[in-house]
Amino acid sequence: MILIVEDNPINALVLQKMLNAQFDTRWAKNDHEAFAEVNKHPISLILMDINLGGESMDGEEIMQELRKDPTYLQLPIFAVTSYAGPGYERKFLEAGFDRYFSKPVNRQALMESIKSVGVLAS
């Protein structure tokens, strides 16, 4: 199962439409929902927006919090963000994300990366 952490429902729907033909997905719109989902369901991959707005932790903070738990050290977490300027890919990969995608996401590149980390279609 792939968890999409995205505060914008349209962006979440676009990602779900890209993936639902091959993967089961869940959606969380903030940090509280993200932590609840990883505790309730066996998650194989997280697609993490960075700027979640409101009172939520940002995606980088959520990723860092998850990585504190040995259970989630090997869980692939991909940054999926509007931050697309020079240096952002390096910044997010150095922060600990496994892959980086700027929006709008290239479907083929996303699917190849999902398969490369061993997430199997459902």
Side-chain angles (χ1 to χ4, degrees), residues 1 3 14 25 40 47 81 84 95 97 110 114:
M1 181 174 301
L3 177 61
V14 167
T25 62
K40 280 194 288 191
L47 301 179
T81 179
F97 287 96
L110 178 61
I114 289 171

Side-chain angles (χ1 to χ4, degrees), residues 32-60:
H32 300 293
E33 290 181 10
F35 293 125
E37 289 295 329
V38 298
N39 288 316
K40 280 194 288 191
H41 303 285
I43 303 297
S44 301
L45 168 71
I46 298 176
L47 301 179
M48 182 79 70
D49 184 25
I50 301 301
N51 185 359
L52 295 171
E55 299 295 317
S56 182
M57 296 172 140
D58 68 27
E60 189 173 339

Side-chain angles (χ1 to χ4, degrees), residues 4-117:
I4 298 166
V5 182
E6 169 63 64
D7 64 322
N8 182 303
I10 294 171
N11 290 342
L13 182 62
V14 167
L15 286 170
Q16 286 177 313
K17 294 274 186 196
M18 274 187 201
L19 300 171
N20 274 347
Q22 296 181 43
F23 302 98
D24 291 329
T25 62
R26 303 284 300 175
W27 173 43
K29 64 180 175 255
N30 58 41
D31 55 342
H32 300 293
E33 290 181 10
F35 293 125
E37 289 295 329
V38 298
N39 288 316
K40 280 194 288 191
H41 303 285
I43 303 297
S44 301
L45 168 71
I46 298 176
L47 301 179
M48 182 79 70
D49 184 25
I50 301 301
N51 185 359
L52 295 171
E55 299 295 317
S56 182
M57 296 172 140
D58 68 27
E60 189 173 339
E61 292 170 320
I62 295 170
M63 182 265 307
Q64 290 170 346
E65 194 64 30
L66 286 170
R67 296 283 195 230
K68 290 179 184 176
D69 184 334
T71 306
Y72 305 116
L73 278 176
Q74 301 304 316
L75 176 66
I77 304 175
F78 295 178
V80 179
T81 179
S82 296
Y83 294 110
Y88 280 113
E89 179 174 14
R90 181 176 173 197
K91 174 192 182 314
F92 291 120
L93 293 175
E94 287 177 354
F97 287 96
D98 297 287
R99 301 280 193 287
Y100 162 88
F101 293 92
S102 62
K103 296 175 186 174
V105 175
N106 177 297
R107 183 182 188 281
Q108 182 177 346
L110 178 61
M111 296 305 251
E112 288 172 5
S113 288
I114 289 171
K115 291 174 184 170
S116 77
V117 296

